[in-house]
Amino acid sequence: MIAPLVRTRGLSKTFGDEGELTHVLRSVDFELRPGELVLFMGPSGSGKTTFISIVVGVMRASGGRVELCGADITDVSQESAAALRRRKLGFVFQTDNLFPGLTAHGNVAEVLRMKGCSHVQERATEALEAVGLGHRLHHLPGQLSGGQRQRVSIARALASDPALLVGDEITAALDGEMAMRVMDVVRARTSSGRGALIVTHDERLLQYADRVVHMEDGRIRSDLSRRSARGVITGAP
Ligand SMILES: Nc1ncnc2c1ncn2[C@@H]1O[C@H](COP(=O)(O)OP(=O)(O)OP(=O)(O)O)[C@@H](O)[C@H]1O
């Protein structure tokens, strides 16, 4: 059987020390398979960002195991986690963290170079065109709107065609039409066997999901197909 792109078992995270421990994740079991687009929803502070930070290996768990693209990354070094991220992952975090001195095209091209990709120039252009930024290739981040910067981040994450896209609120700064355009690109990728794990409060994205995971107080409260989740979240039949 093909390995899941993400697999966690008993994942927990606490912050603080003996005096005052905050339990942010409590024994989270989760799997995402190739071809799936999974949304993580739930109240602010429920642990969604913490969860994906551990999944991509930029934060360590306090307990449990985490596998990314078939590799157990629970105890690996920062360097090994970074190498796996470069090979397999595209991620978009809440803050856009673009290189301020590089143009939109330069930002995408630089990440492609770091990943060792070929045809860097063409791929960077294509990725920016796919998110509607073909007319902003040579603008610096400071010359772009918040929504345009967000789309550069998305283009940067997708340009290398990674096995898994992990995103945190990737459509927050986008109007309806742009959000749909971006999600069409993400959906087309998952239809061809890639995976996507997206944290969001944006109910517009429900139509794209295969599954919707609802987190509350550090636990998975429900993990439902789109159809069932839609009814729960919107009250629709
Ligand atoms: N470094 C830290 N030290 C202490 N507490 C932290 C730290 N990082 C996160 N937390 C706490 O962990 C809880 C979960 O935060 P997290 O960012 O994962 O929530 P979230 O569900 O992504 O929220 P939002 O939807 O608002 O982005 C919050 O109560 C937050 O204050």
Side-chain angles (χ1 to χ4, degrees), residues 15 24 42-51 59 94 169 199 201:
F15 290 108
V24 174
S44 181
S46 55
K48 306 180 298 294
T49 299
T50 305
F51 178 74
M59 188 186 281
Q94 273 174 345
E169 298 291 359
V199 167
H201 290 104

Side-chain angles (χ1 to χ4, degrees), residues 128-208:
L128 286 160
E129 284 173 348
V131 296
L133 284 177
H135 62 310
R136 289 287 183 276
L137 299 180
H138 306 299
H139 284 58
L140 293 167
Q143 300 168 323
L144 297 171
S145 71
Q148 288 169 340
R149 284 200 299 277
Q150 190 162 41
R151 281 185 279 149
V152 176
S153 298
I154 294 164
R156 201 166 66 161
L158 293 179
S160 63
D161 194 22
L164 177 67
L165 172 74
V166 179
D168 201 351
E169 298 291 359
I170 65 173
T171 54
L174 305 184
D175 65 28
E177 194 183 328
M178 251 336 137
M180 298 305 110
R181 180 163 181 169
V182 163
M183 289 308 294
D184 283 339
V185 176
V186 175
R187 182 74 256 180
R189 282 171 31 83
T190 53
S191 300
S192 64
R194 306 314 200 184
L197 170 54
I198 297 174
V199 167
T200 189
H201 290 104
D202 190 345
E203 289 181 11
R204 298 174 301 184
L205 307 197
L206 282 173
Q207 60 183 301
Y208 293 95

Side-chain angles (χ1 to χ4, degrees), residues 198-227:
I198 297 174
V199 167
T200 189
H201 290 104
D202 190 345
E203 289 181 11
R204 298 174 301 184
L205 307 197
L206 282 173
Q207 60 183 301
Y208 293 95
D210 294 304
R211 281 162 47 209
V212 181
V213 171
H214 188 83
M215 281 200 89
E216 245 178 63
D217 194 23
R219 291 190 176 89
I220 291 184
R221 285 290 173 205
S222 61
D223 184 341
L224 300 170
S225 69
R226 171 187 45 203
R227 185 185 288 267

